[in-house]
Amino acid sequence: KFDKSKLKTISPLLEDHGLVLKVRGFLTNNKKIEAIKYVREKTGAGLLESKDLVESVEMNVLNSFSQYQ
């Protein structure tokens, strides 16, 4: 489960809409590990920060999807 207290560390990265859209694309195709690798490569963030960002985007996608069911 995603720890919301980590948002302070990753929130500047979440403002990069291009990055977030690319991560959503990876997640749509069930490629979470590739999404984490992509975030690390593009931002220089560490593994934990990249994982936290991807999980934050993932939770956002899941929450959006559940609103329409």
Side-chain angles (χ1 to χ4, degrees), residues 27-38:
L27 293 173
T28 300
N29 293 306
N30 294 317
K31 296 184 181 243
K32 187 174 182 176
I33 292 172
E34 287 83 352
I36 294 168
K37 287 179 184 178
Y38 178 80

Side-chain angles (χ1 to χ4, degrees), residues 1-68:
K1 207 163 190 185
F2 180 70
D3 180 3
K4 290 184 181 180
S5 67
K6 296 178 182 179
L7 282 176
K8 194 179 283 187
T9 307
I10 62 170
S11 61
L13 298 175
L14 289 171
E15 293 176 11
D16 181 343
H17 298 293
L19 180 73
V20 171
L21 287 174
K22 186 75 171 176
V23 168
R24 288 180 93 169
F26 280 116
L27 293 173
T28 300
N29 293 306
N30 294 317
K31 296 184 181 243
K32 187 174 182 176
I33 292 172
E34 287 83 352
I36 294 168
K37 287 179 184 178
Y38 178 80
V39 171
R40 290 189 76 192
E41 178 184 309
K42 292 298 178 185
T43 66
L47 179 61
L48 184 59
E49 291 84 4
S50 298
K51 179 180 172 284
D52 289 344
L53 180 133
V54 169
E55 288 179 347
S56 174
V57 172
E58 183 178 41
M59 291 303 295
N60 188 312
V61 169
L62 291 174
N63 287 340
S64 296
F65 181 72
S66 66
Q67 288 178 350
Y68 296 105

